[in-house]
Amino acid sequence: MADSAQAQKLVYLVTGGCGFLGEHVVRMLLQREPRLGELRVFDQHLGPWLEELKTGSCWGSLWWRGCGRFPNPSQAGIPTPAVEQMMLVSVHMDGSRPVRVTAIQGDVTQAHEVAAAVAGAHVVIHTAGLVDVFGRASPKTIHEVNVQGTRNVIEACVQTGTRFLVYTSSMEVVGPNTKGHPFYRGNEDTPYEAVHRHPYPCSKALAEWLVLEANGRKVRGGLPLVTCALRPTGIYGEGHQIMRDFYRQGLRLGGWLFRAIPASVEHGRVYVGNVAWMHVLAARELEQRATLMGGQVYFCYDGSPYRSYEDFNMEFLGPCGLRLVGARPLLPYWLLVFLAALNALLQWLLRPLVLYAPLLNPYTLAVANTTFTVSTDKAQRHFGYEPLFSWEDSRTRTILWVQAATGSAQ
Ligand SMILES: NC(=O)C1=CN([C@@H]2O[C@H](COP(=O)(O)OP(=O)(O)OC[C@H]3O[C@@H](n4cnc5c(N)ncnc54)[C@H](O)[C@@H]3O)[C@@H](O)[C@H]2O)C=CC1
Ligand SMILES: C[C@H](CCCC(C)(C)O)[C@H]1CC[C@H]2[C@@H]3[C@H](O)CC4=CC(=O)CC[C@]4(C)[C@H]3CC[C@]12C
């Protein structure tokens, strides 16, 4: 954004701002976005950590809960959302100047709630999504949140005049595909047959397409919308629930995990702090580099090593006392396929009675068992991204989190 606007304070909205990635994006913006004037955190479930922002702030006295009014609602004739909100005032980590943080409890599937939250924002970072590959939610719900929710965000930008939209997509919009073709250290231009059947990747692919297609649409006031999509591979780091689940599973099994996937199958992983940093940089650079970045996709990458899903997890779980048994998978692949199919059948049979959603199902097995890694520098070339955290830092931070989250610190 223009130099003359150096002093201009920008309003950012982060949807899904209380999720695993969203929280890191919010904290990163507060720490590293000098032009941040107001930060709106929109989520269906507001996290208690938002209140820590207030505690950590010397401006902490200004705080309302359930005030029911949004600061800038009438700007585009948008009604205020009938949701609980809280406002608090926080500061940058360097204590330089205040930033207003507004937490908005809302649902992206509700167009009026999204429009009210977007009104007056300069930039929207849309990370909210239903991440479900285990069959916990129905395909319809996944579609509503991921596709209709994204459509609502785009329409809200157009209606209210917000020009910059960064969408959190996923590697899953590319693959692994249903045929199990490997994607070996590919980039954004690598040809690949992207064929999906599972509701989650289908929804992410459709939502990404909507976002990219919206690039260039005229927003209220006549200027063009500028959009881009970031595609993380498997994200890890502080707050990664599946990592914690694997740790607990290992503890239940006496400190052992059993190899199910060959070590030669590479699964792309990226540290959450770097994914968040990439979002902040992309959002910052969208105006200045609109022609270059508008309508583009970027894989998220950093210096995390290429490993199998299980070997990668052991980088963190090993130092927490777990061991991975077997240089090769202990069970033959056909048996895993059978067990995954059995799980799917049980899920279907039990659905009227109870939700049975184990980690192993035909889809997760196929993803874990198909090489999918990226090697690219597109984000560096287009908007100057360099990972903020080295592999060593990312690893240490994640280990400390697993230890703290599970009480395994020695
Ligand atoms: N976790 C991963 O490995 C990857 C995640 N992604 C994408 O990153 C984004 C964030 O994912 P995570 O942080 O892992 O998931 P998460 O589940 O921790 O966070 C998603 C957030 O969105 C919120 N949300 C869900 N439905 C909502 C609704 N209807 N209205 C408002 N908020 C709603 C949730 O409350 C949650 O706070 C998602 O869009 C996901 O598709 C992409 C690649 C990899
Ligand atoms: C849960 C899977 C591991 C199961 C191992 C098994 C079959 C031996 O029990 C996870 C393996 C790969 C994960 C996915 C991958 O990292 C890509 C993703 C991207 C997203 O956008 C959302 C999450 C996920 C689908 C992720 C989900 C867990 C795995 C399938």
Side-chain angles (χ1 to χ4, degrees), residues 15-23 42-46 106-110 113 126-131 144-146 149 167-172 200 204 230-236 239-242 269-270 272 275 279:
T15 71
C18 291
F20 167 40
L21 172 61
E23 178 178 344
F42 182 97
D43 205 297
Q44 203 167 23
H45 305 287
L46 297 179
D107 183 344
V108 288
T109 67
Q110 301 304 310
E113 294 184 7
H126 177 41
T127 79
L130 191 45
V131 183
E144 271 168 13
V145 175
N146 293 352
Y167 173 61
T168 314
S169 181
S170 168
M171 65 177 253
E172 296 275 304
Y200 175 76
K204 294 299 285 186
L230 306 188
R231 295 172 171 171
T233 53
I235 308 175
Y236 70 94
H240 186 208
Q241 297 313 315
I242 300 180
R269 303 294 283 270
V270 60
V272 66
V275 180
H279 280 71

Side-chain angles (χ1 to χ4, degrees), residues 54 74 93 111 120 147 191 210 247 264 284 290 306-307 326 333 337 368 404:
K54 179 194 66 164
S74 55
M93 290 293 272
V147 181
L210 290 173
Y247 180 74
S264 57
R284 185 188 291 170
Y306 299 113
R307 300 236 196 297
Y333 187 63
V337 172

Side-chain angles (χ1 to χ4, degrees), residues 18-101:
C18 291
F20 167 40
L21 172 61
E23 178 178 344
H24 284 266
V25 172
V26 164
R27 291 184 188 275
M28 190 62 74
L29 281 168
L30 287 169
Q31 289 169 19
R32 301 237 170 208
E33 182 42 65
R35 286 173 309 159
L36 185 66
E38 181 187 338
L39 178 54
R40 300 177 186 168
V41 183
F42 182 97
D43 205 297
Q44 203 167 23
H45 305 287
L46 297 179
W49 57 273
L50 281 169
E51 297 193 23
E52 290 163 25
L53 297 178
K54 179 194 66 164
T55 320
S57 148
C58 52
W59 299 81
S61 57
L62 267 175
W63 180 61
W64 301 268
R65 193 178 181 91
C67 60
R69 298 224 69 80
F70 198 70
N72 205 358
S74 55
Q75 181 147 353
I78 303 294
T80 51
V83 292
E84 185 184 33
Q85 300 175 356
M86 61 181 178
M87 279 186 257
L88 50 102
V89 175
S90 185
V91 286
H92 276 274
M93 290 293 272
D94 63 6
S96 56
R97 61 186 180 75
V99 171
R100 180 162 66 176
V101 181

